[in-house]
Every structure is written in structure tokens, then in C-alpha cells.
Amino acid sequence: MKLNKLPKHSILVIAIVTTWIKTYITYQTSFDMKIENTMQQLILLINPLAFLLFIYGISLFFKTAKVRNRYMITVSAILSIVLYGNVAFYRFFNDFITLPVLFQTSNFGDLGNSAASSIYWYDIFYFTDVVLLILAVKFLPVAKEAAIIKPNMRRTYFVLSFAMLFLNLGLAETERPQLLTRSFDRELLVKNIGTYNYHLYDIFIQSKSHAQRALADGSELTDVTNYVKSNQGENNKKTFGIAKKRNVIIISLESTQNFVINNKVNGQEITPFLNSLTKDKDTFYFDNFYHQTGLGKTSDAEFIVENSLYGTGRGAVFFTNSGNTFNSMSERLNDNGYYTSVLHANNKSFWNRDMMYQALNIKHFYDVESYDVTDENSANWGLKDIPYMDQSVKIMKTLPQPFYTRLITLSNHYPFTSDPEDQLIKPYTSDDNTVNRYFQTVRYTDEAIKELFKDLKESGLYDNSVIVMYGDHYGISENHNKAMAQYLGKDSITPFDSAQLQKVPFFIHVPHSGIGKEMHEIAGQMDIRPTVLHLLGIDTKNDLQMGTDLFSKDHKDFITFRDGRFVTDKLVYAGEVCYDKSTGEKTDSSKCDPYIDQANKKLDYSDKIINGDLLRFYNNKTGEAK
Ligand code: GP9
Ligand code: MN
């Protein structure tokens, strides 16, 4: 066929086909989508089509070739930016962008190393279709002709594009029932309805949650309050109040997973100091403790510690709901004569902390401005953990007592780079440098914790304090399963293993108490708030929280992840499969069924509180609606 004889809608066809092919190649190369059968493969192939037919099809309404061409190039450019944005985001977060994350542009500026290491020259590939379309418009004679179409033909075209959408949704529904009602699993959504439709869906859900707040009223509280009350346990008389009026120092251990504890690399201990605490008589160490964060990562963990509620399923609650009313741990402590603060050597706007801390009633945020940060004392994300601890203790000495402060470490952050003099052990040896380096930065943070204890003792603050430490979230994502399998001596990492890898260390160190021991209950970050407040002798029976005191005899061995996975003493539910916890083998799914309901209920109630901003109607002094 000669170039000047091309059919009149060739530009439309070129636009659709090139974007389609590029999107499909991107799915296959840039996202880790688990495709299990031919049907899933087919859905993945067709899922961009309905949207592309529709969006490019709008050009059929334009009368002149010039306007039509401009429209198509603009659409192609916007779609490429959206897709590429997802690719860059996925490299870092192993997840797809949601609308609230787009408002976190200030974060992206700060991502420094991580963002830079997520962009490559060959990323130009993601714009191939735009380039081809521009070339087609410039050089093909057909691009100069207006492609007039009869209204009934146009109607047929759009009917076809909708038919395509329904075919896609139909196939997706047979493959994954209730897909669109289960909003927390973004990978499934993208896999089944495609990135572009996923974003439309996301916009819809976000607007819905805005509407939810607007529509919510106090009446929804009754349900939530009843649920929370029925799940509360008796306080433990032995531990309640043992740390009354002591300072509380809570340390968020960046990306620290529990598998490093009491473990070795190249024959060397990874966390010698933390290991010594696991056997210490003043320390409770929980070895079945899981993080419960979502996309908000460190900030989600902070949110959970403060509120014992889940972050939102999409985006970071620090962004989406910083306008809400909360009954935070800080607020309770302010009311009990504590001075509340956070010490973290990063920009105050990162994760929207400056805004959210106000909503959480934290009295002072000592951000990067309060620290002396130089080229020599920083690496990776900023101030190194050892100088950070030294400087933090100096600040703590100036705080009115009793104080409650949260320290957030940084050195063990992806991409886990460090200076040679801070590498206290050799890297691991595998094909995966991220994993190899991880052990070294964990080792360094362990040294920083040792330093903190030493500094606290020297400052005199130690004796009258409680030191609580938790891993904030995973550090090694599923993108590194191969090296992790190698390290753990397994053939592969199953969904069961992945769930078990979400264990993070949790320590409560009560100097001179002599009652510490290893604790094995199934626990999670939700439990930190009630557990700590009760140790301080502050009751929480009127608080709308999802966790329970880990020392209560009524604490249940059952925790739910943000994405609906759960763990009990006998079962692990992950990847929609029920596993026997002791063997890691698949087991009868009916065993998990009752817990699936309970897990969803927990997430639902927590989401209700956040989305409806229900705490604005609640008086936690009386336990009644306002
Ligand atoms: C940034 C630090 C890291 O201040 O808390 O956040 P993360 O990327 O781990 O959520
Ligand atoms: Mn973190």
C-alpha cells in the first residue's frame, strides 16, 4: 500500500495500536504481575483497549485534521506520562500510583537517591508511541485530511468500545469475582482492568471517600463503638502502670524486618545489640509481631502507633486525612502531663508530617532544622543514625519531663547505601546488590541504637524512661525474592513466606523492671498504643482503637494486614490462599473463612472512622457521642 493511499482513519489506528502495544510491553517488563493462566494473559492483553478506543475515538468529533491531530498527540503524551509515572513509582514502592499520592509531589522532590536510581536513559521507550504519532502526523499525507465520519458509524464505533469494556469486565469478573468491590488490591485491579481504567476507578473511589466524610454523621458511631468495646480486653494488673510517669522514647526502626534478629550474614551477627536485648531481663521482645502499614510506609506506622487505626487503603493517610479529628496517643499524654514531640532529621513537609502532627496534637516537631547536618555526617537519605542519636539525646535533655518522643531512623532506607567506614560487616553475596547492602545498613542502625542507650545512660535520662522500638515496615520488597530465597535457604518465596517476612521487631525496654522476657503472641503495630499507655497507667477503655494490650489475657492471636492478609496462631492467609502456619503448606480454605470476615470487618470499621472522620463526633473522655 502506498503511503498516500492509506485509509482515512489511519492516524486514529496508529495512535491506538502504538499506545496499546507500548502499554502491554510495559506491563510485561516494568510491573511484576503474577500471571497464572492463559485467561489472565488474555485479559492483560486486551485491558488497555476499551479505554484507548474511547479516549482516542473522541477525535472522531473533530472536523479539522489539525485539531484532531493535536488532540491525539496530547492524549498520547498525557497517557505516556501517566504510565511512566507508574513505572517510576513502582520501581520504588512496588505499587501503583493512587490519586492522593499525586499530591505528594513535595515528597518526590525529597526522594533524592531513590528517585534518581529509579530513572534510566532507556526510559525514553515509554514515549515511543508519542514520537511515532508525531512522525506520522508530520510525514503521512493522510494526516492532512479531515476524516469525516457519519454519525451512525461513529455511534457504532462507541458501542463497540463499550462492548470491549464489558467484555473486559466480564472476563475479569469470572477470573476475580468482586474485583471492583475489593478496592485494596491495586495489582489485581491493574492486571484486570488496565492502568488507565484503574486510574478512573481510583478517581471515583477518592471522590466517594470525600463524599463519605461529607455525608457521615454521628449515628455511624454506635456500630463502631460497639465493635471496639466488644474487642477490648481486661487490663493486666501486674503490668498496668509499671512505668508510670516515666519518659517514653519510641524508636521507629527504618525498614527493619524481624528476620535479621538473632541471625547472621557471613558468620557475623547482623544486630548484636538488639540480639542482646532479646535476652535482657528488662526487655520484652516480641518475635511474632507484624507491621500493618500500607502505601504510607513510615508515616502509616506512625499513624498506627498514635491512633491504633489503619491508614487508608489508598495513598498515605498523612496526606488524605490530615484534616481529621484524632484521639492520638500524644493527645492522651498531653492530658496526662507529658511533653510530646517527634525528633526526625528530615524536611518537615515530608509525608506531610508538619500538617499531620498538628492534627495528632504533637507539641513540637524537631525536624532537620534542629540538627547539625554536614557532608561528613550524612549519607543516603541524610543525617546518619549515630550522629542523629547523639544529637537527639542532646535535644531530649532540654525537654520538660516526663516527655514522650518518637525517634525515626533513616540510615537503613532503600537503596541501603553507606560510607565504607560505617560498614561494620561485609555485604551479603548474591546477584542482588540491594539485598547485599541491606545487611550492612541494618548493622549500622543496630550500632546507633547501642549508642543511644549509652548516651541516655550518660545523660541520666535512661533510669526514668521506657524505650520502645518497632520496625516500621519491610525493607526488602517482593522484587528481591530471589536473593531472599537464597539467604533464607529456600527454593522460592511463597505468599506464605512473604507474609511471614512482614514480621518486624518489637521491643519494650523498661530499665530496672526485671520482668522482661520473650513474648510469642501474634501481635501487630495496632497493639502498641494500648500496650504502652497501659504500662504508663493510662486507661484506654474509651478509645476507639483496633489493637489490644499485649499483656492482657484477652489479647487474641489474630492480626490483619492493611491489604487483608492475616495471621493467627494456626493459620496464615495470603495471596487468597489459606496456609497452615506451622508447616507453610496450603490447607483447607474453610479454616480461614471465618477469619476473612473478621479481618474485613476490622478494616471496614477502621476505614469508617477515617473516611467519615467519625472521631469529630466522639468524646473519648466519656466514651459517648458528642
Ligand atoms: C522519611 C522517612 C522514610 O522521613 O521516614 O520514609 P519511608 O520512605 O520509609 O516511608
Ligand atoms: Mn520507613
Side-chain angles (χ1 to χ4, degrees):
M1 196 188 308
K2 288 226 179 84
L3 280 184
N4 53 6
K5 289 266 168 50
L6 287 177
K8 63 178 179 178
H9 294 298
S10 294
I11 298 295
L12 176 61
V13 174
I14 291 171
I16 293 172
V17 171
T18 52
T19 310
W20 181 19
I21 295 176
K22 180 199 68 179
T23 308
Y24 182 68
I25 296 177
T26 306
Y27 286 166
Q28 294 288 9
T29 56
S30 312
F31 304 128
D32 178 26
M33 308 232 208
K34 288 157 214 93
I35 300 293
E36 285 142 18
N37 55 43
T38 337
M39 177 59 92
Q40 291 186 6
Q41 192 61 258
L42 177 73
I43 295 175
L44 192 70
L45 176 70
I46 64 161
N47 75 29
L49 200 50
F51 178 80
L52 296 179
L53 282 169
F54 180 82
I55 194 84
Y56 281 120
I58 290 176
S59 69
L60 295 171
F61 287 96
F62 297 127
K63 299 263 171 334
T64 68
K66 204 167 158 193
V67 179
R68 175 203 62 200
N69 293 345
R70 268 197 202 150
Y71 169 78
M72 284 202 271
I73 292 171
T74 313
V75 168
S76 162
I78 293 174
L79 295 184
S80 296
I81 293 168
V82 168
L83 191 68
Y84 180 60
N86 274 294
V87 169
F89 186 78
Y90 192 91
R91 284 175 186 157
F92 188 59
F93 287 103
N94 202 25
D95 208 330
F96 299 93
I97 296 180
T98 79
L99 206 57
V101 168
L102 289 183
F103 299 110
Q104 299 172 15
T105 42
S106 60
N107 269 4
F108 282 104
D110 289 331
L111 286 178
N113 266 344
S114 312
S117 63
S118 294
I119 293 173
Y120 307 98
W121 67 265
Y122 52 76
D123 287 352
I124 197 78
F125 157 77
Y126 297 100
F127 296 86
T128 320
D129 53 336
V130 191
V131 175
L132 288 177
L133 188 60
I134 292 173
L135 291 177
V137 163
K138 212 167 165 57
F139 295 112
L140 295 182
V142 68
K144 309 284 176 296
E145 298 161 19
I148 305 299
I149 184 169
K150 289 202 194 87
N152 62 337
M153 284 300 285
R154 199 164 55 202
R155 210 171 305 128
T156 314
Y157 175 93
F158 281 103
V159 168
L160 272 174
S161 91
F162 276 101
M164 194 65 217
L165 177 68
F166 287 116
L167 173 71
N168 182 177
L169 292 180
L171 291 178
E173 184 62 26
T174 51
E175 194 53 35
R176 291 282 172 187
Q178 295 178 317
L179 175 71
L180 297 183
T181 45
R182 293 189 53 211
S183 52
F184 47 77
D185 202 333
R186 277 175 290 277
E187 185 186 314
L188 275 183
L189 278 168
V190 173
K191 216 157 86 175
N192 284 287
I193 63 172
T195 22
Y196 309 117
N197 288 330
Y198 154 73
H199 286 298
L200 293 180
Y201 172 80
D202 185 45
I203 291 169
F204 166 74
I205 294 284
Q206 295 302 335
S207 338
K208 203 172 111 191
S209 97
H210 276 269
Q212 264 172 339
R213 184 188 189 276
L215 295 174
D217 60 46
S219 59
E220 292 185 42
L221 259 182
T222 324
D223 244 19
V224 179
T225 316
N226 289 342
Y227 172 79
V228 170
K229 297 250 151 100
S230 69
N231 278 303
Q232 247 165 11
E234 284 276 308
N235 294 343
N236 179 327
K237 292 203 178 61
K238 280 211 191 87
T239 51
F240 191 88
I242 54 163
K244 207 171 184 139
K245 294 283 174 226
R246 287 205 194 195
N247 304 316
V248 183
I249 301 164
I250 299 198
I251 305 151
S252 169
L253 298 170
E254 179 56 46
S255 301
T256 309
Q257 293 174 231
N258 197 58
F259 74 86
V260 297
I261 305 290
N262 290 325
N263 216 340
K264 288 183 174 170
V265 69
N266 306 317
Q268 290 176 295
E269 278 185 289
I270 307 157
T271 54
F273 183 71
L274 292 177
N275 294 351
S276 73
L277 287 183
T278 64
K279 297 167 195 80
D280 174 71
K281 63 177 178 18
D282 291 337
T283 307
F284 295 101
Y285 163 60
F286 295 79
D287 63 359
N288 267 316
F289 185 91
Y290 295 80
H291 84 83
Q292 293 169 296
T293 62
L295 261 186
K297 300 233 151 160
T298 312
S299 68
D300 270 7
E302 291 186 72
F303 183 81
I304 298 169
V305 168
E306 287 286 344
N307 304 295
S308 189
L309 293 170
Y310 287 90
T312 44
R314 27 197 67 243
V317 63
F318 263 40
F319 276 94
T320 55
N321 295 80
S322 61
N324 275 27
T325 301
F326 296 105
N327 298 144
S328 65
M329 174 136 93
S330 290
E331 184 187 280
R332 297 305 306 275
L333 290 169
N334 290 333
D335 292 348
N336 280 273
Y338 275 78
Y339 183 77
T340 54
S341 66
V342 172
L343 299 169
H344 181 46
N346 199 353
N347 296 341
K348 64 178 186 330
S349 61
F350 198 92
W351 281 130
N352 201 29
R353 284 188 172 103
D354 50 348
M355 298 291 140
M356 190 51 142
Y357 286 175
Q358 287 179 27
L360 295 175
N361 241 311
I362 294 167
K363 285 287 176 254
H364 196 91
F365 178 18
Y366 295 88
D367 62 30
V368 69
E369 304 289 327
S370 304
Y371 288 85
D372 175 26
V373 186
T374 62
D375 278 352
E376 285 69 45
N377 71 9
S378 42
N380 195 7
W381 269 53
L383 184 60
K384 299 179 193 182
D385 287 349
I386 292 182
Y388 163 68
M389 291 302 178
D390 291 337
Q391 296 186 34
S392 294
V393 173
K394 286 202 182 95
I395 298 174
M396 276 187 243
K397 281 204 278 196
T398 68
L399 300 177
Q401 297 190 45
F403 60 75
Y404 160 61
T405 193
R406 181 161 59 250
L407 272 62
I408 305 168
T409 70
L410 259 187
S411 297
N412 187 40
H413 196 288
Y414 178 88
F416 313 116
T417 46
S418 57
D419 292 335
E421 71 266 24
D422 300 322
Q423 297 169 357
L424 306 172
I425 52 174
K426 290 212 185 68
Y428 181 57
T429 324
S430 76
D431 296 343
D432 189 329
N433 286 326
T434 303
V435 174
N436 299 349
R437 291 191 298 262
Y438 177 72
F439 295 97
Q440 294 180 304
T441 45
V442 173
R443 174 66 187 83
Y444 173 77
T445 298
D446 181 77
E447 200 64 19
I449 303 294
K450 185 175 167 191
E451 180 87 359
L452 168 73
F453 273 62
K454 185 174 129 270
D455 291 349
L456 284 173
K457 283 179 184 163
E458 281 168 12
S459 70
L461 288 169
Y462 174 82
D463 299 316
N464 195 32
S465 296
V466 191
I467 302 159
V468 177
M469 292 181 275
Y470 65 89
D472 61 352
H473 49 76
Y474 66 81
I476 303 295
S477 73
E478 290 177 20
N479 294 335
H480 306 281
N481 275 353
K482 197 168 149 242
M484 277 307 288
Q486 182 190 329
Y487 176 73
L488 297 171
K490 290 177 181 280
D491 296 337
S492 66
I493 301 288
T494 64
F496 169 83
D497 299 319
S498 288
Q500 290 302 82
L501 282 169
Q502 306 313 308
K503 278 188 198 175
V504 292
F506 181 51
F507 294 92
I508 303 176
H509 179 75
V510 191
H512 316 299
S513 64
I515 58 168
K517 59 176 180 200
E518 284 195 36
M519 308 274 285
H520 308 299
E521 17 280 295
I522 310 292
Q525 290 167 331
M526 297 291 157
D527 302 320
I528 296 179
R529 183 189 191 277
T531 305
V532 170
L533 284 174
H534 290 180
L535 289 177
L536 303 177
I538 299 169
D539 197 34
T540 62
K541 69 171 178 303
N542 285 334
D543 290 349
L544 295 187
Q545 56 190 5
M546 293 295 145
T548 43
D549 182 346
L550 291 173
F551 296 110
S552 163
K553 65 172 177 18
D554 304 319
H555 174 79
K556 292 193 189 72
D557 279 327
F558 171 55
I559 69 112
T560 305
F561 296 4
R562 173 62 261 189
D563 58 12
R565 286 180 284 176
F566 62 76
V567 180
T568 77
D569 49 343
K570 301 202 171 56
L571 302 166
V572 171
Y573 180 72
E576 292 177 43
V577 174
C578 194
Y579 292 92
D580 183 308
K581 184 159 189 285
S582 56
T583 62
E585 300 295 326
K586 293 185 184 176
T587 183
D588 190 358
S589 68
S590 64
K591 290 188 189 155
C592 279
D593 288 345
Y595 294 104
I596 295 179
D597 285 349
Q598 286 184 42
N600 286 338
K601 207 175 214 173
K602 205 172 242 298
L603 290 166
D604 250 29
Y605 279 127
S606 180
D607 288 346
K608 266 207 177 103
I609 296 178
I610 305 296
N611 294 335
D613 191 8
L614 294 187
L615 293 170
R616 69 195 148 130
F617 305 122
Y618 187 69
N619 181 343
N620 75 332
K621 305 235 161 45
T622 62
E624 275 158 26
K626 272 187 196 161

